[in-house]
Amino acid sequence: MTDYRDDLAVAKAALKTATAALTQEIRAYPAPVAGCDAQYNHLLAERRRAQSALMALEAQIHIPTPRAP
C-alpha cells in the first residue's frame, strides 16, 4: 500500500512536467496577434491551471480547531 505522500509527489512531478511542456510549446508558438489567437490563449490558460493546481498541492492548509472541546 502506498503512502498518500507518494501520490502527492507523483502529482506534483506530473504538474511540473506539464507546466514545463506547456511553457516550451508557448515559446515555440509563432507570434500571435494579441488577444485574437484562441490556441495561444488556450495554452496560456492550461499553463495557468497547471500552475494553480501545483500551488494548491504545495500550500499549507490551516484547519482551525476549537479552543475548548
Side-chain angles (χ1 to χ4, degrees), residues 41-64:
N41 291 338
H42 176 73
L43 290 172
L44 292 175
E46 287 296 305
R47 181 175 64 177
R48 197 171 314 117
R49 285 180 57 207
Q51 290 169 332
S52 295
L54 182 59
M55 287 178 10
L57 285 177
E58 292 178 340
Q60 294 293 324
I61 299 173
H62 172 70
I63 300 174

Side-chain angles (χ1 to χ4, degrees), residues 1-14 57:
M1 181 176 210
T2 63
D3 185 30
Y4 76 91
R5 287 180 220 110
D6 296 335
D7 295 333
L8 287 175
V10 169
K12 288 177 187 180
L57 285 177

